[in-house]
């Protein structure tokens, strides 16, 4: 079922719990253990299915269209995959790189080995590239990461990306904050957050959005993302004293004027890795950036923090299947595998991003907890996706012009 949201919905935060496994510690040693467990679950599921099949007789042949992805004969279960279901197929995934894609690759490669496919990672999944593939009829990517705007755009759903067949994916344990949409399955919830250098602001209270724009009392260079206005226009208004509940419709002139007030102290980054490099090399003292990039710095001993006095602006990234792809069933099966409990525990351990499975059981390390934007202390705000679906193109043009001035 597709869940709709009212504008300015606030997050319903789950209370923090102590977890058994520590996410963010011994980050590279856990993949094999997780995947062995996943394979065991697959083997048990397949064995049980074979036993049931041997005991059954006279059953009518199921229609192919009613079959869940991966050739399974029963209800799909997140995290499971059928051995050799796609033997010999090429499985091409396009992601955004960094630690996120490293974790995605670890999980999806294991999926490909189970189902007998040849895994081919690629990226980045730029919208123009997806459009070119679809329009030419030469779709080379089977699975991509979509922005929330693309996944929620009714003009692109069914034309640029396939509608999701929910009979082929177990979405029963998706978190409430990340709803399923017609053409996308939640992949990640990430917060556009205020990161700051704790040495540069030693002795000061936690940074607020207002203080991000106060370079007189809190001097130093700031960094923002050059590519898109989404999330950043909201932050400009928050920094100018606008209440969260009064953000929409956005006053774009006011937001840009607020950024103009510190233009001499602004640097622009074009990729997540560049923002991380700016923080690590002390080019900046504060940043509007992905929480996962800040986690990597903190985990490596860097003197950076996320402010819990500046509500992060939350966006959801989605799994998407390009329209007209050759392996639509394989893509559905891959998404279903990725949503498994063990796979999501690996995802959270490797990236410190939230799990998309409510059954995961991970104790956060100090570094991971420091960027856990879904924790109630951050009071994260979900952007009004309906506003952005309607206005993204126009505001992106205006943002690009402003950045280039």
């Amino acid at each position: 079922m597709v869940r709709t949201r009212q504008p300015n919905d606030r997050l319903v935060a789950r209370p923090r719990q102590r977890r058994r496994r520590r996410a963010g510690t011994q980050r590279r040693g856990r993949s094999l253990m997780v995947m062995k467990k996943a394979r065991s679950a697959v083997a048990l599921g397949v064995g049980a299915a074979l036993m049931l099949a041997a005991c059954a007789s006279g059953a009518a042949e199921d229609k192919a269209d009613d079959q869940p992805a991966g050739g399974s004969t029963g209800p799909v279960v997140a995290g499971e995959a059928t051995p050799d279901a796609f033997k010999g197929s090429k499985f091409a995934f396009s992601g955004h790189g960094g630690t996120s894609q490293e974790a995605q690759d670890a999980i999806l490669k294991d999926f490909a080995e189970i189902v007998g496919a040849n895994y081919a990672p690629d990226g980045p999944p730029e919208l123009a590239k997806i459009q070119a593939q679809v329009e030419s009829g030469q779709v080379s990517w089977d699975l991509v990461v979509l922005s929330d705007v693309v996944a929620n755009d009714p003009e692109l759903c069914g034309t640029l990306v396939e509608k999701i067949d929910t009979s082929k994916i177990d979405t029963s344990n998706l978190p409430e904050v990340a709803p399923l949409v017609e053409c996308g399955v939640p992949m990640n919830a990430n917060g556009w957050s205020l990161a700051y250098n704790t040495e540069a602001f030693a002795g000061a209270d936690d940074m607020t959005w207002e203080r991000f724009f106060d370079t007189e009392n809190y001097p130093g260079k700031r960094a923002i993302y050059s590519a898109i206005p989404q999330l950043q226009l909201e932050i400009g208004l928050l920094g100018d004293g606008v209440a969260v509940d009064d953000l929409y419709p956005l006053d774009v002139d006011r937001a840009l004027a607020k950024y103009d007030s510190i233009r001499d102290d602004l640097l622009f980054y074009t990729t997540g890795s560049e923002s991380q490099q700016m923080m690590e090399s002390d080019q900046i003292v504060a940043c509007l950036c992905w929480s996962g990039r800040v986690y990597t710095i903190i985990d490596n001993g860097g003197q950076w923090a996320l402010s819990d006095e500046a509500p992060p602006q939350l966006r959801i990234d989605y799994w998407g299947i390009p329209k007209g792809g050759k392996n639509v069933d394989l893509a559905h099966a891959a998404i279903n595998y990725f949503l498994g409990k063990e796979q999501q525990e690996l995802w959270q351990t490797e990236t410190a991003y939230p799990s998309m499975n409510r059954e995961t059981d991970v104790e956060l390390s100090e570094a991971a907890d420091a960027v856990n934007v879904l924790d109630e202390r951050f009071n994260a705000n979900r952007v009004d996706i309906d506003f952005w679906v309607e206005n993204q193109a126009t505001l992106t043009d205006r943002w690009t012009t402003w950045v280039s001035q």
Side-chain angles (χ1 to χ4, degrees), residues 175-398:
E176 183 179 356
V177 72
L180 178 72
V181 297
E182 191 173 18
C183 280
V185 177
M187 189 281 294
N188 184 33
N190 65 77
W192 211 260
S193 308
L194 198 172
Y196 67 99
N197 187 305
T198 57
E199 292 182 333
F201 298 113
D205 293 333
D206 276 346
M207 292 289 286
T208 63
W209 289 127
E210 289 86 353
R211 288 172 178 172
F212 179 86
F213 291 93
D214 183 1
T215 55
E216 180 176 350
N217 293 306
Y218 301 91
K221 297 293 184 181
R222 277 79 162 141
I224 63 176
Y225 188 34
S226 65
I228 61 172
Q230 186 190 21
L231 308 164
Q232 299 186 108
L233 290 179
E234 283 90 340
I235 289 168
L237 294 174
L238 292 172
D240 204 35
V242 177
V244 167
D245 292 338
D246 297 329
L247 283 174
Y248 301 98
L250 297 178
D251 185 337
V252 178
D253 290 337
R254 182 175 176 179
L256 292 179
K258 191 63 179 177
Y259 282 111
D260 279 333
S261 70
I262 60 168
R263 185 70 185 240
D264 291 342
D265 288 306
L266 279 181
L267 299 178
F268 296 94
Y269 63 87
T270 58
T271 65
S273 60
E274 187 178 5
S275 71
Q276 184 175 326
Q277 189 272 333
M278 286 180 173
M279 288 184 275
E280 291 172 334
S281 62
D282 295 327
Q283 294 181 58
I284 57 175
V285 297
C287 181
L288 307 187
C289 50
W290 288 278
S291 56
R293 291 291 178 176
V294 185
Y295 161 70
T296 301
I297 293 175
I298 297 173
D299 195 43
N300 290 333
Q303 300 302 307
W304 281 77
L306 287 191
S307 172
D308 56 13
E309 296 296 327
Q313 303 303 292
L314 193 71
R315 59 174 288 173
I316 308 297
D317 293 326
Y318 287 85
W319 293 115
I321 304 172
K323 182 71 174 179
K326 304 178 182 66
N327 298 303
V328 174
D329 280 350
L330 185 154
H332 278 86
I335 297 171
N336 184 69
Y337 185 81
F338 195 89
L339 290 178
K341 176 178 179 293
E342 298 287 349
Q343 290 86 337
Q344 285 298 298
E345 288 178 348
L346 174 63
W347 166 259
Q348 196 169 14
T349 299
E350 294 294 309
T351 67
Y353 281 125
S355 166
M356 292 294 104
N357 187 317
R358 291 186 308 238
E359 292 187 340
T360 52
D361 191 15
V362 175
E363 181 181 351
L364 299 180
S365 69
E366 184 176 349
D369 185 62
V371 300
N372 181 19
V373 295
L374 294 190
D375 187 89
E376 58 188 357
R377 73 185 186 276
F378 282 105
N379 198 26
N381 174 60
R382 177 92 186 270
V383 298
D384 185 341
I385 191 59
D386 295 327
F387 173 87
W388 279 107
V389 167
E390 183 177 351
N391 296 285
Q392 173 93 339
T394 299
L395 293 185
T396 297
D397 287 343
R398 186 167 180 188

